Amino acid sequence: MSSTLWTRLSAALMLGRRETRLLLLTAGVDSFGTGVYSATSMLFFTQVRHFSFAAVGVGISAGSICALLFSTRLGRLADRYGPRPTLIAVFVARAVGYTLYLLAQPYWAFLVLSCLVTTVDRASSPINQSLMGNLFGQKDRATILGTVFSVRNGAIVLGSLAATVPVMFNSPALYGVCVAVNAGTFLVAAAVLARMPAGTEKAETAPAAAGTTEPAAVRSPLRSGPYLLITVVNAVLLLHNTLLTVVLPLWVTEHTEAPRWALTALLALNGVLAMSCQVPVNRRFSSYHAAGRASAFAGVAVLAACVAYAASGAAASALPALVLLVVAMLAHTAGECLHIASTPLSFSLAPPQARGRYLTFYNLGRVGQDLAGPVLLGSALLGSGAPVWWLVGAAVAVAGALPWLLLRGPEPVWDDRVEPGPKEPDRANR
Protein backbone atom coordinates (compact mmCIF):
# COMPACT_ATOMS: atom_id res chain seq x y z
CA MET A 1 0.00 0.00 0.00
CA SER A 2 2.76 2.44 0.98
CA SER A 3 4.71 1.53 -2.16
CA THR A 4 1.66 2.26 -4.34
CA LEU A 5 1.06 5.55 -2.56
CA TRP A 6 4.67 6.60 -3.07
CA THR A 7 4.51 5.62 -6.75
CA ARG A 8 1.43 7.77 -7.27
CA LEU A 9 2.92 10.67 -5.33
CA SER A 10 6.17 10.44 -7.26
CA ALA A 11 4.31 10.46 -10.56
CA ALA A 12 2.10 13.39 -9.52
CA LEU A 13 5.08 15.47 -8.41
CA MET A 14 7.27 14.42 -11.38
CA LEU A 15 9.97 13.08 -9.06
CA GLY A 16 11.04 10.66 -11.76
CA ARG A 17 12.59 13.56 -13.65
CA ARG A 18 16.12 14.35 -12.61
CA GLU A 19 15.51 18.06 -13.16
CA THR A 20 12.71 17.97 -10.57
CA ARG A 21 14.88 16.28 -7.97
CA LEU A 22 17.74 18.73 -8.51
CA LEU A 23 15.43 21.75 -8.30
CA LEU A 24 13.88 20.49 -5.07
CA LEU A 25 17.28 19.76 -3.55
CA THR A 26 18.50 23.23 -4.55
CA ALA A 27 15.41 24.84 -3.04
CA GLY A 28 15.74 22.85 0.18
CA VAL A 29 19.42 23.64 0.73
CA ASP A 30 18.96 27.32 -0.13
CA SER A 31 15.93 27.69 2.16
CA PHE A 32 17.47 25.84 5.09
CA GLY A 33 20.26 28.43 5.14
CA THR A 34 17.69 31.20 4.85
CA GLY A 35 15.84 29.84 7.90
CA VAL A 36 19.04 29.69 9.95
CA TYR A 37 20.07 33.19 8.90
CA SER A 38 16.66 34.84 9.33
CA ALA A 39 16.39 33.65 12.92
CA THR A 40 19.83 34.94 13.93
CA SER A 41 20.89 37.75 11.59
CA MET A 42 19.53 40.60 13.71
CA LEU A 43 21.32 39.18 16.75
CA PHE A 44 24.56 38.92 14.75
CA PHE A 45 24.46 42.52 13.59
CA THR A 46 23.41 43.99 16.94
CA GLN A 47 25.45 41.83 19.34
CA VAL A 48 28.49 40.92 17.22
CA ARG A 49 28.81 43.97 14.96
CA HIS A 50 27.23 46.26 17.61
CA PHE A 51 25.05 48.14 15.14
CA SER A 52 21.86 49.63 16.51
CA PHE A 53 18.50 48.17 15.56
CA ALA A 54 17.70 51.35 13.63
CA ALA A 55 21.02 51.22 11.79
CA VAL A 56 20.36 47.65 10.68
CA GLY A 57 16.90 48.70 9.53
CA VAL A 58 18.43 51.47 7.41
CA GLY A 59 20.78 48.94 5.83
CA ILE A 60 17.91 46.59 5.03
CA SER A 61 15.94 49.45 3.47
CA ALA A 62 18.97 50.52 1.43
CA GLY A 63 19.30 46.97 0.15
CA SER A 64 15.63 46.91 -0.84
CA ILE A 65 16.03 50.16 -2.78
CA CYS A 66 19.02 48.73 -4.65
CA ALA A 67 17.07 45.57 -5.42
CA LEU A 68 14.21 47.70 -6.72
CA LEU A 69 16.61 49.51 -9.05
CA PHE A 70 18.94 46.77 -10.22
CA SER A 71 17.42 43.28 -9.83
CA THR A 72 15.79 43.46 -13.28
CA ARG A 73 19.28 43.80 -14.80
CA LEU A 74 20.00 40.28 -13.59
CA GLY A 75 16.81 39.14 -15.29
CA ARG A 76 18.21 40.49 -18.56
CA LEU A 77 21.36 38.41 -18.01
CA ALA A 78 19.19 35.33 -17.54
CA ASP A 79 17.51 36.02 -20.89
CA ARG A 80 20.85 36.52 -22.62
CA TYR A 81 22.96 33.73 -21.12
CA GLY A 82 20.26 31.35 -19.86
CA PRO A 83 18.67 31.09 -16.41
CA ARG A 84 20.72 28.12 -15.21
CA PRO A 85 24.23 29.66 -15.56
CA THR A 86 22.90 33.00 -14.35
CA LEU A 87 21.33 31.37 -11.29
CA ILE A 88 24.58 29.55 -10.53
CA ALA A 89 26.40 32.91 -10.67
CA VAL A 90 23.75 34.44 -8.39
CA PHE A 91 24.23 31.64 -5.85
CA VAL A 92 27.98 32.19 -5.88
CA ALA A 93 27.49 35.95 -5.45
CA ARG A 94 25.18 35.31 -2.48
CA ALA A 95 27.78 33.01 -0.93
CA VAL A 96 30.49 35.65 -1.31
CA GLY A 97 28.27 38.43 0.01
CA TYR A 98 27.21 36.58 3.15
CA THR A 99 30.78 35.44 3.80
CA LEU A 100 31.95 39.04 3.65
CA TYR A 101 29.47 39.91 6.40
CA LEU A 102 31.80 37.93 8.68
CA LEU A 103 34.78 40.05 7.65
CA ALA A 104 33.36 43.54 7.19
CA GLN A 105 33.67 45.63 10.37
CA PRO A 106 32.70 49.24 9.52
CA TYR A 107 29.08 50.25 9.02
CA TRP A 108 29.65 51.52 5.48
CA ALA A 109 30.81 48.03 4.50
CA PHE A 110 27.58 46.60 5.91
CA LEU A 111 25.58 49.07 3.80
CA VAL A 112 27.44 48.12 0.62
CA LEU A 113 27.05 44.41 1.29
CA SER A 114 23.38 44.83 2.13
CA CYS A 115 22.82 46.40 -1.28
CA LEU A 116 24.71 43.60 -3.06
CA VAL A 117 23.19 40.74 -1.09
CA THR A 118 19.59 41.97 -1.22
CA THR A 119 19.79 42.59 -4.97
CA VAL A 120 21.00 39.08 -5.78
CA ASP A 121 18.65 37.59 -3.17
CA ARG A 122 15.59 39.18 -4.76
CA ALA A 123 16.70 38.22 -8.28
CA SER A 124 17.26 34.58 -7.33
CA SER A 125 13.62 33.50 -7.07
CA PRO A 126 12.37 34.89 -10.43
CA ILE A 127 15.43 33.56 -12.26
CA ASN A 128 14.76 30.17 -10.70
CA GLN A 129 11.16 30.44 -11.91
CA SER A 130 12.44 31.31 -15.37
CA LEU A 131 14.50 28.12 -15.31
CA MET A 132 11.41 26.14 -14.33
CA GLY A 133 9.57 27.80 -17.20
CA ASN A 134 12.17 26.41 -19.60
CA LEU A 135 12.18 22.94 -18.08
CA PHE A 136 8.42 22.40 -17.72
CA GLY A 137 5.45 23.08 -19.97
CA GLN A 138 2.36 24.95 -18.80
CA LYS A 139 0.55 21.84 -17.57
CA ASP A 140 3.41 20.78 -15.27
CA ARG A 141 4.58 24.25 -14.27
CA ALA A 142 1.94 24.77 -11.57
CA THR A 143 2.89 21.45 -9.97
CA ILE A 144 6.61 22.18 -9.82
CA LEU A 145 6.00 25.71 -8.51
CA GLY A 146 3.77 24.37 -5.74
CA THR A 147 6.19 21.58 -4.86
CA VAL A 148 9.17 23.95 -4.70
CA PHE A 149 7.17 26.34 -2.52
CA SER A 150 6.27 23.51 -0.12
CA VAL A 151 9.87 22.33 0.08
CA ARG A 152 11.02 25.89 0.74
CA ASN A 153 8.54 26.30 3.59
CA GLY A 154 9.60 23.04 5.20
CA ALA A 155 13.32 23.79 4.86
CA ILE A 156 12.91 27.28 6.33
CA VAL A 157 11.12 25.78 9.34
CA LEU A 158 13.95 23.26 9.82
CA GLY A 159 16.53 26.04 9.55
CA SER A 160 14.67 28.13 12.11
CA LEU A 161 14.55 25.16 14.48
CA ALA A 162 18.29 24.60 14.04
CA ALA A 163 18.87 28.25 14.94
CA THR A 164 17.29 27.76 18.37
CA VAL A 165 20.61 26.38 19.66
CA PRO A 166 22.67 29.58 19.18
CA VAL A 167 19.71 31.66 20.34
CA MET A 168 19.35 29.63 23.55
CA PHE A 169 23.07 29.94 24.31
CA ASN A 170 23.12 33.58 23.13
CA SER A 171 26.56 32.90 21.67
CA PRO A 172 28.14 35.55 19.41
CA ALA A 173 30.44 32.88 17.96
CA LEU A 174 27.48 30.68 17.03
CA TYR A 175 25.71 33.64 15.45
CA GLY A 176 28.72 33.95 13.16
CA VAL A 177 28.51 30.23 12.43
CA CYS A 178 24.89 30.73 11.32
CA VAL A 179 25.97 33.38 8.83
CA ALA A 180 28.69 31.04 7.55
CA VAL A 181 26.21 28.16 7.25
CA ASN A 182 23.92 30.34 5.16
CA ALA A 183 26.81 31.29 2.88
CA GLY A 184 27.80 27.65 2.54
CA THR A 185 24.33 26.55 1.51
CA PHE A 186 24.51 28.78 -1.57
CA LEU A 187 27.71 27.10 -2.70
CA VAL A 188 26.05 23.72 -2.24
CA ALA A 189 23.00 24.94 -4.19
CA ALA A 190 25.25 26.16 -7.01
CA ALA A 191 27.02 22.79 -7.12
CA VAL A 192 23.70 20.94 -7.24
CA LEU A 193 22.38 23.16 -10.02
CA ALA A 194 25.58 22.60 -12.01
CA ARG A 195 24.60 18.93 -12.19
CA MET A 196 21.52 19.75 -14.23
CA PRO A 197 21.51 17.50 -17.34
CA ALA A 198 23.31 19.04 -20.30
CA GLY A 199 20.23 18.77 -22.52
CA THR A 200 18.33 21.28 -20.40
CA GLU A 201 20.95 23.93 -21.00
CA LYS A 202 20.36 23.66 -24.73
CA ALA A 203 16.66 24.20 -24.20
CA GLU A 204 17.09 27.26 -22.03
CA THR A 205 19.80 28.99 -24.06
CA ALA A 206 18.68 28.14 -27.56
CA PRO A 207 18.92 31.10 -29.90
CA ALA A 208 15.74 32.69 -31.16
CA ALA A 209 14.36 30.96 -34.21
CA ALA A 210 14.00 32.77 -37.48
CA GLY A 211 11.20 35.28 -37.32
CA THR A 212 11.17 35.49 -33.52
CA THR A 213 12.14 38.51 -31.52
CA GLU A 214 15.50 38.76 -29.80
CA PRO A 215 15.32 39.37 -25.99
CA ALA A 216 16.78 42.87 -26.27
CA ALA A 217 14.12 43.86 -28.80
CA VAL A 218 11.13 42.73 -26.70
CA ARG A 219 9.25 45.67 -25.26
CA SER A 220 9.80 46.55 -21.62
CA PRO A 221 7.30 45.19 -19.07
CA LEU A 222 6.75 48.84 -18.16
CA ARG A 223 5.02 49.20 -21.54
CA SER A 224 2.82 46.15 -21.04
CA GLY A 225 -0.43 47.18 -19.36
CA PRO A 226 -1.43 43.64 -18.30
CA TYR A 227 2.02 42.97 -16.83
CA LEU A 228 2.02 46.23 -14.92
CA LEU A 229 -1.40 45.28 -13.58
CA ILE A 230 -0.38 41.88 -12.24
CA THR A 231 2.86 43.32 -10.79
CA VAL A 232 0.90 45.89 -8.77
CA VAL A 233 -1.65 43.26 -7.76
CA ASN A 234 1.17 40.99 -6.64
CA ALA A 235 2.54 43.76 -4.41
CA VAL A 236 -0.87 44.31 -2.79
CA LEU A 237 -1.59 40.61 -2.30
CA LEU A 238 1.80 40.24 -0.64
CA LEU A 239 0.39 42.20 2.27
CA HIS A 240 -0.51 38.76 3.65
CA ASN A 241 3.22 38.16 4.16
CA THR A 242 3.68 41.40 6.09
CA LEU A 243 0.63 40.58 8.21
CA LEU A 244 2.12 37.19 9.07
CA THR A 245 5.71 38.17 9.81
CA VAL A 246 5.43 41.72 11.15
CA VAL A 247 1.93 42.49 12.40
CA LEU A 248 0.67 39.17 13.76
CA PRO A 249 3.29 38.65 16.52
CA LEU A 250 2.53 42.03 18.10
CA TRP A 251 -1.21 41.79 17.44
CA VAL A 252 -1.60 38.39 19.14
CA THR A 253 0.61 39.16 22.13
CA GLU A 254 -0.34 42.79 22.79
CA HIS A 255 -3.79 43.43 21.28
CA THR A 256 -5.76 40.26 22.03
CA GLU A 257 -6.64 38.24 25.13
CA ALA A 258 -5.26 35.05 23.57
CA PRO A 259 -2.46 33.24 25.45
CA ARG A 260 1.05 34.03 24.24
CA TRP A 261 1.63 30.44 23.10
CA ALA A 262 -1.12 31.00 20.55
CA LEU A 263 1.36 32.84 18.32
CA THR A 264 3.67 29.86 17.78
CA ALA A 265 0.66 27.55 17.41
CA LEU A 266 -0.82 29.78 14.71
CA LEU A 267 2.48 30.01 12.82
CA ALA A 268 2.88 26.23 13.01
CA LEU A 269 -0.68 25.79 11.69
CA ASN A 270 0.14 28.13 8.81
CA GLY A 271 3.32 26.24 7.94
CA VAL A 272 1.73 22.79 8.01
CA LEU A 273 -1.31 23.83 5.97
CA ALA A 274 0.77 25.73 3.40
CA MET A 275 3.11 22.78 2.86
CA SER A 276 0.30 20.24 2.53
CA CYS A 277 -2.12 22.32 0.43
CA GLN A 278 0.05 24.29 -1.99
CA VAL A 279 0.57 21.58 -4.61
CA PRO A 280 -3.11 20.55 -4.94
CA VAL A 281 -4.18 24.20 -4.98
CA ASN A 282 -1.65 25.00 -7.69
CA ARG A 283 -2.79 22.04 -9.78
CA ARG A 284 -6.39 23.21 -9.45
CA PHE A 285 -5.55 26.69 -10.83
CA SER A 286 -2.86 25.83 -13.37
CA SER A 287 -4.34 27.54 -16.45
CA TYR A 288 -4.28 31.22 -17.40
CA HIS A 289 -7.91 32.02 -16.63
CA ALA A 290 -7.95 29.77 -13.54
CA ALA A 291 -4.96 31.73 -12.20
CA GLY A 292 -7.01 34.92 -12.55
CA ARG A 293 -9.75 33.32 -10.45
CA ALA A 294 -7.14 32.25 -7.88
CA SER A 295 -6.07 35.89 -7.54
CA ALA A 296 -9.68 36.94 -6.88
CA PHE A 297 -10.23 34.14 -4.35
CA ALA A 298 -6.96 35.06 -2.64
CA GLY A 299 -8.17 38.63 -2.11
CA VAL A 300 -11.47 37.44 -0.64
CA ALA A 301 -9.66 35.02 1.69
CA VAL A 302 -7.32 37.75 2.98
CA LEU A 303 -10.34 40.02 3.52
CA ALA A 304 -12.00 37.29 5.62
CA ALA A 305 -8.77 36.86 7.58
CA CYS A 306 -8.54 40.60 8.28
CA VAL A 307 -12.14 40.70 9.54
CA ALA A 308 -11.45 37.77 11.87
CA TYR A 309 -8.18 39.30 13.11
CA ALA A 310 -10.01 42.55 13.89
CA ALA A 311 -12.72 40.64 15.76
CA SER A 312 -10.12 38.77 17.81
CA GLY A 313 -8.91 42.09 19.19
CA ALA A 314 -12.42 42.86 20.44
CA ALA A 315 -12.95 39.46 22.13
CA ALA A 316 -13.26 39.83 25.89
CA SER A 317 -11.63 36.55 26.92
CA ALA A 318 -8.99 34.11 25.80
CA LEU A 319 -11.13 31.33 24.31
CA PRO A 320 -13.15 33.39 21.79
CA ALA A 321 -10.02 35.35 20.88
CA LEU A 322 -8.18 32.08 20.21
CA VAL A 323 -11.05 30.67 18.13
CA LEU A 324 -11.21 33.83 16.03
CA LEU A 325 -7.45 33.77 15.51
CA VAL A 326 -7.61 30.16 14.30
CA VAL A 327 -10.40 31.08 11.86
CA ALA A 328 -8.32 34.05 10.70
CA MET A 329 -5.26 31.87 10.16
CA LEU A 330 -7.23 29.32 8.14
CA ALA A 331 -8.45 32.10 5.85
CA HIS A 332 -4.99 33.70 5.83
CA THR A 333 -3.32 30.46 4.72
CA ALA A 334 -5.97 29.94 2.04
CA GLY A 335 -5.21 33.43 0.73
CA GLU A 336 -1.47 32.72 0.76
CA CYS A 337 -1.85 29.45 -1.19
CA LEU A 338 -4.28 30.99 -3.69
CA HIS A 339 -1.92 33.93 -4.23
CA ILE A 340 0.91 31.55 -5.08
CA ALA A 341 -1.50 29.70 -7.39
CA SER A 342 -2.01 32.92 -9.37
CA THR A 343 1.67 32.87 -10.41
CA PRO A 344 0.93 31.33 -13.88
CA LEU A 345 -0.27 34.79 -14.91
CA SER A 346 3.30 36.04 -14.69
CA PHE A 347 4.43 33.29 -17.09
CA SER A 348 1.54 33.54 -19.54
CA LEU A 349 1.93 37.30 -19.98
CA ALA A 350 5.73 37.20 -20.41
CA PRO A 351 7.41 36.64 -23.80
CA PRO A 352 9.42 33.41 -23.38
CA GLN A 353 12.59 34.98 -24.84
CA ALA A 354 12.42 37.75 -22.19
CA ARG A 355 11.01 35.67 -19.34
CA GLY A 356 13.86 36.44 -16.94
CA ARG A 357 13.42 40.19 -17.35
CA TYR A 358 9.65 40.00 -16.96
CA LEU A 359 9.70 37.71 -13.92
CA THR A 360 12.24 39.87 -12.09
CA PHE A 361 10.00 42.86 -12.85
CA TYR A 362 7.02 40.94 -11.44
CA ASN A 363 9.09 40.24 -8.33
CA LEU A 364 9.50 44.00 -7.75
CA GLY A 365 6.13 43.77 -6.03
CA ARG A 366 7.82 41.72 -3.30
CA VAL A 367 10.73 44.16 -3.10
CA GLY A 368 8.36 47.11 -2.75
CA GLN A 369 6.42 45.25 -0.09
CA ASP A 370 9.63 44.56 1.84
CA LEU A 371 10.52 48.24 1.64
CA ALA A 372 7.23 49.94 2.55
CA GLY A 373 4.89 47.29 3.93
CA PRO A 374 6.27 46.77 7.45
CA VAL A 375 6.47 50.48 8.29
CA LEU A 376 3.17 51.62 6.78
CA LEU A 377 1.05 48.57 7.51
CA GLY A 378 2.45 47.74 10.93
CA SER A 379 2.03 51.19 12.42
CA ALA A 380 -1.48 51.62 10.94
CA LEU A 381 -2.90 48.27 12.04
CA LEU A 382 -1.36 48.22 15.49
CA GLY A 383 -2.26 51.85 16.11
CA SER A 384 -5.83 52.03 14.84
CA GLY A 385 -7.29 48.55 15.13
CA ALA A 386 -10.47 47.20 13.49
CA PRO A 387 -11.26 49.95 10.93
CA VAL A 388 -7.80 49.70 9.38
CA TRP A 389 -8.01 45.89 9.35
CA TRP A 390 -11.24 46.18 7.34
CA LEU A 391 -9.73 48.77 5.01
CA VAL A 392 -6.63 46.66 4.35
CA GLY A 393 -8.74 43.56 3.72
CA ALA A 394 -11.01 45.44 1.31
CA ALA A 395 -8.03 46.87 -0.59
CA VAL A 396 -6.53 43.38 -1.00
CA ALA A 397 -9.87 41.95 -2.14
CA VAL A 398 -10.33 44.67 -4.77
CA ALA A 399 -6.76 44.29 -6.05
CA GLY A 400 -7.04 40.51 -6.20
CA ALA A 401 -10.18 40.72 -8.33
CA LEU A 402 -8.60 42.96 -10.99
CA PRO A 403 -6.84 40.24 -13.03
CA TRP A 404 -10.03 38.16 -13.05
CA LEU A 405 -12.09 41.17 -14.18
CA LEU A 406 -9.67 42.76 -16.64
CA LEU A 407 -7.78 39.83 -18.18
CA ARG A 408 -10.72 37.79 -19.47
CA GLY A 409 -9.56 37.81 -23.07
CA PRO A 410 -7.73 34.92 -24.70
CA GLU A 411 -4.40 33.85 -23.26
CA PRO A 412 -1.44 35.45 -25.11
CA VAL A 413 0.14 33.16 -27.68
CA TRP A 414 3.95 33.27 -27.93
CA ASP A 415 6.49 31.43 -30.01
CA ASP A 416 7.39 29.28 -27.02
CA ARG A 417 9.93 26.99 -28.69
CA VAL A 418 12.30 27.08 -25.74
CA GLU A 419 9.67 26.19 -23.15
CA PRO A 420 9.47 22.38 -22.90
CA GLY A 421 12.25 20.56 -21.12
CA PRO A 422 13.98 17.61 -22.79
CA LYS A 423 12.11 14.36 -22.96
CA GLU A 424 13.28 11.57 -20.74
CA PRO A 425 15.25 8.94 -22.69
CA ASP A 426 12.92 6.05 -21.78
CA ARG A 427 9.88 7.97 -23.03
CA ALA A 428 11.62 9.24 -26.16
CA ASN A 429 12.55 5.73 -27.24
CA ARG A 430 9.12 4.20 -26.83
Side-chain angles (χ1 to χ4, degrees), residues 233-245:
V233 169
N234 183 48
V236 177
L237 287 178
L238 278 167
L239 287 172
H240 69 73
N241 189 56
T242 300
L243 292 177
L244 187 69
T245 60

PDB file of all heavy atoms in Angstrom, residues 233-245:
ATOM      1  N   VAL A 233      -0.792  44.166  -8.525  1.00  0.00           N
ATOM      2  CA  VAL A 233      -1.652  43.264  -7.759  1.00  0.00           C
ATOM      3  C   VAL A 233      -0.814  42.337  -6.891  1.00  0.00           C
ATOM      4  O   VAL A 233      -1.149  42.075  -5.723  1.00  0.00           O
ATOM      5  CB  VAL A 233      -2.555  42.454  -8.716  1.00  0.00           C
ATOM      6  CG1 VAL A 233      -3.255  41.312  -7.973  1.00  0.00           C
ATOM      7  CG2 VAL A 233      -3.579  43.365  -9.370  1.00  0.00           C
ATOM      8  N   ASN A 234       0.281  41.835  -7.422  1.00  0.00           N
ATOM      9  CA  ASN A 234       1.174  40.987  -6.643  1.00  0.00           C
ATOM     10  C   ASN A 234       1.681  41.710  -5.402  1.00  0.00           C
ATOM     11  O   ASN A 234       1.719  41.145  -4.302  1.00  0.00           O
ATOM     12  CB  ASN A 234       2.347  40.538  -7.511  1.00  0.00           C
ATOM     13  CG  ASN A 234       3.287  39.590  -6.794  1.00  0.00           C
ATOM     14  OD1 ASN A 234       2.855  38.628  -6.173  1.00  0.00           O
ATOM     15  ND2 ASN A 234       4.582  39.857  -6.872  1.00  0.00           N
ATOM     16  N   ALA A 235       2.057  42.987  -5.554  1.00  0.00           N
ATOM     17  CA  ALA A 235       2.541  43.764  -4.411  1.00  0.00           C
ATOM     18  C   ALA A 235       1.458  43.907  -3.348  1.00  0.00           C
ATOM     19  O   ALA A 235       1.744  43.793  -2.141  1.00  0.00           O
ATOM     20  CB  ALA A 235       3.003  45.145  -4.883  1.00  0.00           C
ATOM     21  N   VAL A 236       0.214  44.141  -3.767  1.00  0.00           N
ATOM     22  CA  VAL A 236      -0.868  44.308  -2.792  1.00  0.00           C
ATOM     23  C   VAL A 236      -1.206  42.985  -2.120  1.00  0.00           C
ATOM     24  O   VAL A 236      -1.373  42.918  -0.889  1.00  0.00           O
ATOM     25  CB  VAL A 236      -2.120  44.907  -3.474  1.00  0.00           C
ATOM     26  CG1 VAL A 236      -3.269  45.018  -2.473  1.00  0.00           C
ATOM     27  CG2 VAL A 236      -1.806  46.276  -4.051  1.00  0.00           C
ATOM     28  N   LEU A 237      -1.284  41.913  -2.897  1.00  0.00           N
ATOM     29  CA  LEU A 237      -1.593  40.609  -2.303  1.00  0.00           C
ATOM     30  C   LEU A 237      -0.514  40.169  -1.321  1.00  0.00           C
ATOM     31  O   LEU A 237      -0.802  39.454  -0.349  1.00  0.00           O
ATOM     32  CB  LEU A 237      -1.758  39.553  -3.399  1.00  0.00           C
ATOM     33  CG  LEU A 237      -3.035  39.625  -4.243  1.00  0.00           C
ATOM     34  CD1 LEU A 237      -3.024  38.550  -5.316  1.00  0.00           C
ATOM     35  CD2 LEU A 237      -4.272  39.470  -3.373  1.00  0.00           C
ATOM     36  N   LEU A 238       0.709  40.604  -1.542  1.00  0.00           N
ATOM     37  CA  LEU A 238       1.800  40.236  -0.642  1.00  0.00           C
ATOM     38  C   LEU A 238       1.665  40.863   0.740  1.00  0.00           C
ATOM     39  O   LEU A 238       2.464  40.567   1.632  1.00  0.00           O
ATOM     40  CB  LEU A 238       3.145  40.619  -1.261  1.00  0.00           C
ATOM     41  CG  LEU A 238       3.706  39.617  -2.269  1.00  0.00           C
ATOM     42  CD1 LEU A 238       4.859  40.223  -3.040  1.00  0.00           C
ATOM     43  CD2 LEU A 238       4.154  38.344  -1.558  1.00  0.00           C
ATOM     44  N   LEU A 239       0.655  41.702   0.929  1.00  0.00           N
ATOM     45  CA  LEU A 239       0.388  42.200   2.274  1.00  0.00           C
ATOM     46  C   LEU A 239       0.161  41.046   3.246  1.00  0.00           C
ATOM     47  O   LEU A 239       0.418  41.189   4.451  1.00  0.00           O
ATOM     48  CB  LEU A 239      -0.834  43.125   2.266  1.00  0.00           C
ATOM     49  CG  LEU A 239      -0.634  44.507   1.633  1.00  0.00           C
ATOM     50  CD1 LEU A 239      -1.963  45.239   1.517  1.00  0.00           C
ATOM     51  CD2 LEU A 239       0.358  45.340   2.433  1.00  0.00           C
ATOM     52  N   HIS A 240      -0.311  39.899   2.741  1.00  0.00           N
ATOM     53  CA  HIS A 240      -0.506  38.763   3.647  1.00  0.00           C
ATOM     54  C   HIS A 240       0.799  38.336   4.297  1.00  0.00           C
ATOM     55  O   HIS A 240       0.816  37.873   5.446  1.00  0.00           O
ATOM     56  CB  HIS A 240      -1.157  37.580   2.917  1.00  0.00           C
ATOM     57  CG  HIS A 240      -0.283  36.906   1.896  1.00  0.00           C
ATOM     58  ND1 HIS A 240       0.780  36.106   2.223  1.00  0.00           N
ATOM     59  CD2 HIS A 240      -0.335  36.910   0.534  1.00  0.00           C
ATOM     60  CE1 HIS A 240       1.349  35.636   1.132  1.00  0.00           C
ATOM     61  NE2 HIS A 240       0.706  36.114   0.089  1.00  0.00           N
ATOM     62  N   ASN A 241       1.922  38.520   3.588  1.00  0.00           N
ATOM     63  CA  ASN A 241       3.218  38.156   4.157  1.00  0.00           C
ATOM     64  C   ASN A 241       3.619  39.125   5.270  1.00  0.00           C
ATOM     65  O   ASN A 241       4.124  38.708   6.324  1.00  0.00           O
ATOM     66  CB  ASN A 241       4.276  38.146   3.049  1.00  0.00           C
ATOM     67  CG  ASN A 241       5.588  37.565   3.516  1.00  0.00           C
ATOM     68  OD1 ASN A 241       5.641  36.438   3.998  1.00  0.00           O
ATOM     69  ND2 ASN A 241       6.650  38.336   3.397  1.00  0.00           N
ATOM     70  N   THR A 242       3.390  40.417   5.056  1.00  0.00           N
ATOM     71  CA  THR A 242       3.680  41.403   6.093  1.00  0.00           C
ATOM     72  C   THR A 242       2.795  41.192   7.318  1.00  0.00           C
ATOM     73  O   THR A 242       3.246  41.311   8.460  1.00  0.00           O
ATOM     74  CB  THR A 242       3.476  42.828   5.544  1.00  0.00           C
ATOM     75  OG1 THR A 242       4.353  43.023   4.433  1.00  0.00           O
ATOM     76  CG2 THR A 242       3.790  43.874   6.601  1.00  0.00           C
ATOM     77  N   LEU A 243       1.528  40.863   7.092  1.00  0.00           N
ATOM     78  CA  LEU A 243       0.632  40.575   8.209  1.00  0.00           C
ATOM     79  C   LEU A 243       1.168  39.422   9.051  1.00  0.00           C
ATOM     80  O   LEU A 243       1.137  39.467  10.286  1.00  0.00           O
ATOM     81  CB  LEU A 243      -0.763  40.216   7.686  1.00  0.00           C
ATOM     82  CG  LEU A 243      -1.566  41.323   7.008  1.00  0.00           C
ATOM     83  CD1 LEU A 243      -2.889  40.761   6.484  1.00  0.00           C
ATOM     84  CD2 LEU A 243      -1.826  42.468   7.966  1.00  0.00           C
ATOM     85  N   LEU A 244       1.671  38.392   8.369  1.00  0.00           N
ATOM     86  CA  LEU A 244       2.118  37.189   9.068  1.00  0.00           C
ATOM     87  C   LEU A 244       3.412  37.417   9.839  1.00  0.00           C
ATOM     88  O   LEU A 244       3.542  36.983  10.992  1.00  0.00           O
ATOM     89  CB  LEU A 244       2.302  36.053   8.056  1.00  0.00           C
ATOM     90  CG  LEU A 244       2.608  34.671   8.631  1.00  0.00           C
ATOM     91  CD1 LEU A 244       1.398  34.114   9.354  1.00  0.00           C
ATOM     92  CD2 LEU A 244       3.030  33.723   7.511  1.00  0.00           C
ATOM     93  N   THR A 245       4.375  38.076   9.223  1.00  0.00           N
ATOM     94  CA  THR A 245       5.710  38.170   9.814  1.00  0.00           C
ATOM     95  C   THR A 245       5.929  39.398  10.689  1.00  0.00           C
ATOM     96  O   THR A 245       6.762  39.371  11.599  1.00  0.00           O
ATOM     97  CB  THR A 245       6.780  38.159   8.703  1.00  0.00           C
ATOM     98  OG1 THR A 245       6.554  39.283   7.828  1.00  0.00           O
ATOM     99  CG2 THR A 245       6.723  36.875   7.902  1.00  0.00           C
TER     100      THR A 245
END
